[in-house]
Amino acid sequence: MGCAISGLSETADLGEKSNYHAGGGGEGGHLSQDQIDMIKESWKVIKDNITKVGIIVFVRLFETHPECKDVFFLFRDVKDLERLRTSRELRAHGLRVMSFIEKSVARLDQPERLEVLAVELGKSHYHYNAPPKYYSYVEAEFLNAVQPILKDRWTAELEEAWKTMFQYMTRLMKQGYEDEDRQNQATISPKERGDKRNAAL
């Protein structure tokens, strides 16, 4: 949900090692090579509809979780969600998020680089005041948006592969968010500290 996705650093203090292993079994955050291949193949189709998917994801996100609009200054007071479908700002933000997903898919065979990408994004979300509870909302709307595009390519196995990838990315983003939170605790007031903690609940 951050707005600096395309400019993410490729370096980060990764802290804990990730639970991601290419060629693993597909359970507990592990993606098998078959799952990686399925995701990459499906992305080729999704990519042709990248703008449409980005818009659908955020319009639906604001419909199902209107509180998410509070994170976005530009959309906070928009009541007519249909108007958002033609918003240049929403289109641009949707593309940034889809760009992050594209970068993630491209790094599925490079778990170290993928980990850096997700942790850095989590850190940037701390500064947008976009807490981890929102990340799974985006996952759900993305999966809903791509099913009609993939049509008969969408299977239970493909859905499981995408969910596994998102769960892994969400865990790392949460780690980055919490790392940044800890680093900033000493420099912010007690009131700001309480506000951020309450938002993350």
Side-chain angles (χ1 to χ4, degrees):
M1 277 178 261
C3 293
I5 291 168
S6 57
L8 291 176
S9 165
E10 288 289 342
T11 59
D13 176 16
L14 300 179
E16 275 184 45
K17 288 294 177 189
S18 71
N19 192 29
Y20 171 85
H21 300 284
E27 295 177 6
H30 294 66
L31 281 167
S32 69
Q33 190 59 51
D34 282 347
Q35 287 179 311
I36 291 171
D37 293 343
M38 278 192 288
I39 289 171
K40 288 190 171 188
E41 202 57 37
S42 67
W43 180 255
K44 292 175 185 175
V45 179
I46 296 166
K47 188 176 178 181
D48 290 338
N49 298 272
I50 196 168
T51 303
K52 177 182 174 184
V53 172
I55 291 169
I56 289 170
V57 165
F58 281 93
V59 170
R60 286 187 181 168
L61 180 68
F62 296 154
E63 284 173 346
T64 56
H65 299 283
E67 72 275 15
C68 291
K69 284 197 295 179
D70 292 340
V71 176
F72 300 91
F73 176 76
L74 289 170
F75 313 131
R76 195 170 292 164
D77 299 320
V78 175
K79 304 292 184 210
D80 182 5
L81 293 179
E82 282 304 310
R83 208 179 85 219
L84 279 179
R85 293 182 189 278
T86 57
S87 162
R88 283 189 305 175
E89 291 84 2
L90 187 71
R91 173 190 168 109
H93 186 75
L95 279 172
R96 280 193 290 271
V97 172
M98 295 302 286
S99 171
F100 167 72
I101 295 173
E102 182 171 31
K103 288 177 182 180
S104 301
V105 170
R107 288 163 174 73
L108 286 176
D109 294 312
Q110 302 168 297
E112 294 83 6
R113 291 185 71 206
L114 182 60
E115 185 171 343
V116 170
L117 185 72
V119 170
E120 285 291 295
L121 187 63
K123 288 182 178 183
S124 67
H125 275 61
Y126 173 83
H127 296 287
Y128 304 135
N129 198 24
K133 66 180 180 180
Y134 292 160
Y135 309 160
S136 61
Y137 301 164
V138 174
E139 171 195 343
E141 298 309 334
F142 174 83
L143 295 177
N144 287 333
V146 300
Q147 286 181 46
I149 289 165
L150 290 167
K151 298 177 182 172
D152 58 349
R153 290 183 175 91
W154 187 259
T155 62
E157 291 78 16
L158 180 58
E159 181 175 4
E160 184 60 31
W162 275 106
K163 282 182 176 178
T164 301
M165 181 186 122
F166 269 106
Q167 286 161 8
Y168 169 73
M169 300 301 290
T170 297
R171 190 163 60 248
L172 286 174
M173 286 177 66
K174 184 177 180 183
Q175 177 189 321
Y177 183 99
E178 290 173 350
D179 288 350
E180 197 71 2
D181 185 33
R182 280 191 293 272
Q183 288 180 13
N184 283 273
Q185 287 308 308
T187 61
I188 62 175
S189 72
K191 181 186 182 311
E192 289 174 319
R193 196 174 305 150
D195 288 346
K196 283 193 179 288
R197 282 191 178 146
N198 289 336
L201 295 177

